[in-house]
Amino acid sequence: MEKTTAKHMSTAQMTVTALMTAITCILAPMALPIPISPVPISLTNLVIFFMAYILGMKLSVASYLLYLLLGTVGLPVFSGFTGGVGKLLGPTGGYLIGFIFLAAIAGFFVEKFPAKIYMHVVGMIIGMAICYIFGTAWLAGQLGMSFVAALGIGVIPYLPGDTAKIIIAIIAGPQIRKTVSRFM
């Protein structure tokens, strides 16, 4: 994808950024609640991994922030087809904020090391770790529990699925990036 400046964004970049926001709005609400946690299994991080390949760092963050804004103003785009400030301030709000850092870090690593898949994995893992820290700290505060206890219900059960999402992203992401870049 061509470089983006604050002053200029191509029509194709705007279109693809909006499209990725729409895909997030479609897939993120389709969450699977699990009985041991108020945090559902979501496809949000998988979409963000693909954003990193398609949009790079700046536009991934912009796309995710647009999604977050849409949900915050009340559109039912958050997990379970919910929206509003209450969701952002609820137990999963820290993860919603943490995804901003996931988009930035994963996007940076994909841009900075375009041919080094192992570095993409490193960026996705670091981004998820930062997201987990924000989410776990917020969850612990919301539920009045220790950080370690919050890890047990807000991170540990999700590690296998999030690992699978990273594998899916590194397999499909470069191919998707190549396909999309032909139209950019």
Side-chain angles (χ1 to χ4, degrees):
M1 177 170 283
E2 65 191 69
K3 292 286 184 186
T4 306
T5 66
K7 295 179 182 179
H8 178 72
M9 193 166 145
S10 73
T11 303
Q13 288 173 318
M14 285 188 275
T15 302
V16 174
T17 301
L19 180 60
M20 289 309 301
T21 302
I23 291 169
T24 309
C25 290
I26 292 166
L27 294 179
M30 295 184 217
L32 180 65
I34 63 172
I36 63 166
S37 177
V39 181
I41 296 172
S42 163
L43 295 175
T44 308
N45 51 353
L46 179 62
V47 175
I48 292 171
F49 295 148
F50 285 129
M51 276 184 201
Y53 281 105
I54 296 167
L55 300 174
M57 182 179 74
K58 290 179 183 176
L59 295 179
S60 290
V61 171
S63 178
Y64 182 76
L65 286 172
L66 182 56
Y67 158 78
L68 199 58
L69 176 65
L70 292 170
T72 301
V73 299
L75 272 87
V77 297
F78 294 148
S79 63
F81 297 93
T82 59
V85 175
K87 186 72 170 188
L88 196 59
L89 297 176
T92 60
Y95 297 102
L96 290 169
I97 297 301
F99 284 140
I100 299 168
F101 297 96
L102 174 59
I105 295 166
F108 172 80
F109 274 77
V110 168
E111 275 183 11
K112 184 77 171 166
F113 308 102
K116 297 181 179 177
I117 297 295
Y118 70 93
M119 292 302 289
H120 302 174
V121 173
V122 169
M124 291 175 190
I125 291 171
I126 292 170
M128 280 307 307
I130 300 295
C131 182
Y132 286 152
I133 289 167
F134 272 84
T136 303
W138 186 262
L139 182 64
Q142 290 287 305
L143 300 182
M145 60 176 42
S146 71
F147 187 84
V148 172
L151 277 174
I153 66 167
V155 173
I156 304 301
Y158 305 91
L159 291 175
D162 289 346
T163 300
K165 292 171 193 174
I166 289 173
I167 293 168
I168 291 166
I170 63 167
I171 291 170
Q175 225 18 63
I176 293 169
R177 181 181 190 154
K178 189 183 303 181
T179 302
V180 171
S181 68
R182 288 187 289 188
F183 301 102
M184 302 299 278

